[in-house]
Amino acid sequence: MCKQTVIELSVNNHPGVMSHICGLFARRAYNVEGIACMPVNGGQTSKIWLLVNADDRLDQMIKQVDKLEDVLLVERYDSGHPVFAKMAEFVQ
Amino acid sequence: MKMSGAEIIIKLLERQGVRTIAGIPGGANLPLYDAMGKNGNIKHILTRHEQGAGFIAQGMARVTGKPAVFFATSGPGATNTLTAIADAKLDSIPIICITGQVPLSMIGTDAFQEVDTYGLSVPITKHNFLVRSAEDLLRIIPDAFRIAASGRPGPVVIDVPKDVQMAEVEFDEWPELGVPDATPELFHGEIEHAAAMINRAKRPILYLGGGVILSDSSAEALAMAEKGAIPSVLTLMGLGAIPSGHPLNLGMLGMHAARYTNLALEECDLLIAVGVRFDDRATGKVSEFCPKAKVIHMDIDPSELDKIKTAHASVRGDVADVLKALLPHIEQKNRAEWNGRIESLRTAHPMIVPGADDPTSPYGVILKAAELAGEEAIVCTDVGQHQMRTAQVYPFTRPHRWLTSGGLGTMGFGMPAALGAALAAPDKPVICFSGDGSIMMNIQDLATAMEYDIPIKIILTNNNALGLVRQQQDLFYGQRYVASDYDKCVDFIKIAEGFGIKAYDLGNCDDPAVTLAEAIAAPGPALIHVPVSPNEPVYPMVAPGAANSQMIGGENHV
C-alpha cells in the first residue's frame, strides 16, 4: 500500500470550485482517494481535504492546485489528518 | 445609478479601455448588444464564426500585450469559441470571452441553445465565471481583467445568463479598474546563485521563450546576452525577443531548428531558460536535451519550474524583474572560445534555404515579403509548413510582431489573428502567411476583412495538401499519403474575389516580385496565391519523440 497524504485547501465557496479542483486531478489520471468539504464561518469560504496517494507527481499537483484563482491556501499533512480518521468510521 | 447588467458590462469594458470587440450576437446575448448600441463608444466587429472572433481578440492582445474581449451567444456560439480559448491558454494570451447563457431558472433544463459553458471552459481557461446576479458583475468584470493580465497571462470566460443581463441594479459608484497584480518579490539568494552559475559557465546558452515577449524584457535579455557574450536560442514563441541578425542569436531551437542551433545545445554546459516551458517541440526527447548542461530556469509560474526538466537552479519571478536584478551580477566576458566554436558550427552546419532568391518558392516568398513589408510589419501565420518556414527564416527584429499558434497549433489561427493585429495597430503593415489547408479552417472571415476593409495581406502557399502531415507520412509512414493530398483543386483566386478581396497569383504573372510588391502596397485586404509543390519538405526535422541531435535533412553538401 502506498503512502498517503492529506492536502487541506481553503477555497472560495461557490458552485464550480470543486469541479476546478477535481478536474485537475482527473485529467492527469491522479485519483483522489478521499474528499471532505465543509463551509467555514459564514460560508464565504470552505475547507476541502483531499486524501491522495503520495507519488512523485504530488509536488506538481500541489503547484497546479495552488494556481487556481479560487484556492486561497494550500497546506499539506504528510502524516494524515483526523478528518479522514473520523470519516473512516462511517464506511467501516 | 440604476443600470441593467448588460449596461454595466459594456460601461465597465469601456472603462477598462476596450474600444474594439469582435463577436456574434444571438438570443442569449442580445441585451449585451443592445447596451453596446446605446453606449456607442465601442466598435463591434461582426465575424462569421465565433472562433474567428476569438482569434481577432488574440491578435489584438498579442500585439498590445493587454487583455482583449470577444462576445458569443450561448450554446453553439460558446462551443465555437473553445478552440480560440484553449489556444490562448497554451500561449498565455490575455483574452476575455463573454458569453450569453440561458436565464438562470432554465440552466440545467436542456433549454434551447443551452450548454454548460462554465464546465466546458474549466480546463482551458486561467479562470472562469458563471455570473449569478447583476451586482456580481461590478466585482467580476474588473477581476477578469486583473486575472487575465496578472502573472502568467491567460484567458478568462465570463458566462452571463440573459436574465442577469436584463436585471436592473442600483449602485453608488463604479468599482476600481482591474489591473495586473504586482509582480512577485524576488529571492536575492536565487538571483545570486544563478549569476554565479552563469559567470562560472564555459559554454552557456540563453534559451528565451514567450515569457520574454510577454514581460516586455527583450532589451534586458539582449543586454544579458551581450554583457556575458552568451549565445541565445529562441523558442517559437520567443522569436523577436532579440534581433535575428544579431551575432549572438542562433535562431529557433527544436524540431525545425537549423542544424547548428541544435548542435550548439548539445555542447552547452549551462542552459539558462528564461520564460520557457520546455515544450516537446523545442526539447525533443527531454532526457537527451542538452545532455551536458546544468539548467537554470526562470519563470513567473512556479508550476513550470521542475515540471518537465528538473532545474539545478530556479528563479521564480517576472522575467523582466529577474533579468534586471541579474544583469549587474553578470560579469562582462567575451567567451571567445565558445563563440568561436559556435561560429564553426554555424559555418559547417548552416541553415539551408532552398529557393531563397525565388519569390515563387516557399522560402523565397517569405524572404521577399519580409523585404517589402519592412521592419515594422506584424507577421501572422497559420499552422503547417509555411509556419515553420516563416519561423526559420523571417528576419524578426522586435517583440510583439510575431503572432503564431505555438502551443495548440491551431490551423485557422492566422487570418483572424491578422485581422485583430491590424485592428490593434492600424499604422503597421500586417502580413499573414497561410497554407491551403489552414486558411480553409476560418476562410469565412475573409468576409470580415472585406466588410471592414482591414488591410491584411494573406500570402497563401498552396500545395493542395496538408503539407506537414504529408511530410510525416513521407518520413515516418512509408510514404503512404493517406488523407493528406487533396484530389481536386480549389480556386483560391475566385474564392478571394467572391469574398470581395483583391487577389494576386504569383503562379500566373510576368514578374512575381513586382506583383508581390504591388499586392503588399495596395490598400485594403489582399490574397496572394503562391502555388508550390507538395514535395518540398521543411528541413531539418527532428522526428516527434526523438532527440534533437537526430535531425533529418538540411545537410550542407558543399
Side-chain angles (χ1 to χ4, degrees), chain B residues 66 128 248 273 279 315 371 407 469 473 479 481 492 532:
Chain B
K66 297 201 171 69
N128 59 358
L248 288 167
D279 178 76
V315 186
E371 182 191 315
V469 170
Q473 291 174 334
Q479 300 183 323
Y481 301 122
F492 284 101
V532 297

Side-chain angles (χ1 to χ4, degrees), chain B residues 353-365:
Chain B
V353 184
D357 296 328
D358 173 7
T360 64
S361 82
Y363 282 109
V365 72

Side-chain angles (χ1 to χ4, degrees), chain B residues 240-272:
Chain B
I242 57 176
S244 61
H246 195 283
L248 288 167
N249 186 344
L250 308 188
M252 182 172 70
L253 81 162
M255 183 176 272
H256 291 291
R259 285 183 163 260
Y260 69 86
T261 311
N262 282 342
L263 292 174
L265 285 160
E266 290 287 302
E267 296 185 15
C268 74
D269 68 352
L270 179 68
L271 186 70
I272 309 156

